[in-house]
Amino acid sequence: MSAVVASLPDRLGGAPDGKRSLRLWLRLLTCSTRIEQTVSQRLRDEFGSTLPRFDMLSALDRAGEAGLTMGEAAGMLMVSNGNVTGLATRLKADGLIEAMAGADRRVQRVRLTPLGQTRFTAMARAHERWIEALFADLTAAEADDLTRLLERTKRSLHATTHEELNG
């Protein structure tokens, strides 16, 4: 066992090395949940918004003038079409997004309004500052190492879940 692993506090009551993956998953979950809660609270406090609204505005910002269909937005946000449609309805009512005319009336396409772009830009700047502050205790090398390891984990998860779906 490495000195680093040995120095980690064991909150699983002396769990054997076989529980390493469980410990890792719990730490990832705890960090992810804490970051999401912090960002969500700050979006509410500073912008009267929610994380799903921010995510939708972000997806539309990346799409540019072409906008997105509800299906495309749902795929990017990994939520149902119904969730995206409800979110889009509220964002339209607030003047942050607008529907675009399209050849197929069954497919709704939306994009940011100028007001939506202005609001999102302010939110994105604040969001970036918050994330930088949350990771400020990591050195650049540690952040790079963590990013590399998480990317490797993501590839492993994709390969494993892809095998399960096709197996």
Side-chain angles (χ1 to χ4, degrees):
M1 182 182 304
S2 74
V4 173
V5 173
S7 68
L8 291 175
D10 187 354
R11 295 196 174 104
L12 296 177
D17 283 348
K19 301 287 185 178
R20 181 177 289 123
S21 294
L22 179 59
R23 261 195 315 265
L24 175 59
W25 177 72
L26 290 172
R27 281 182 177 72
L28 286 170
L29 183 61
T30 299
C31 290
S32 177
T33 301
R34 184 60 174 242
I35 292 166
E36 186 174 335
Q37 289 172 342
T38 299
V39 170
S40 291
Q41 185 64 52
R42 290 178 182 176
L43 283 169
R44 276 191 302 278
D45 292 347
E46 294 188 31
F47 296 98
S49 190
T50 64
L51 193 53
R53 286 172 64 96
F54 175 80
D55 289 342
M56 178 74 164
L57 295 174
S58 178
L60 290 170
D61 179 67
R62 288 189 307 276
E65 284 297 312
L68 295 171
T69 66
M70 293 297 103
E72 290 168 341
M76 290 176 75
L77 302 176
M78 295 184 289
V79 298
S80 73
N81 284 357
N83 285 346
V84 167
T85 300
L87 188 56
T89 299
R90 292 185 298 278
L91 289 168
K92 275 190 237 171
D94 292 341
L96 300 178
I97 68 172
E98 62 188 359
M100 300 170 63
D104 187 346
R105 293 180 150 216
R106 295 170 296 171
V107 178
Q108 184 181 22
R109 190 168 207 87
V110 294
R111 68 178 169 205
L112 291 175
T113 63
L115 174 61
Q117 185 64 62
T118 299
R119 290 282 311 225
F120 173 71
T121 298
M123 292 167 71
R125 286 183 183 140
H127 179 268
E128 186 175 349
R129 285 192 313 272
W130 302 333
I131 298 302
E132 286 175 3
L134 291 171
F135 288 99
D137 286 347
L138 295 178
T139 66
E142 289 169 335
D144 290 345
D145 287 345
L146 184 54
T147 300
R148 181 181 49 74
L149 290 169
L150 289 171
E151 185 58 39
R152 186 170 160 194
T153 302
K154 182 179 170 182
R155 284 192 308 271
S156 175
L157 291 169
H158 179 72
T160 302
T161 56
H162 184 72
E163 287 173 9
E164 289 173 1
L165 292 173
N166 295 321

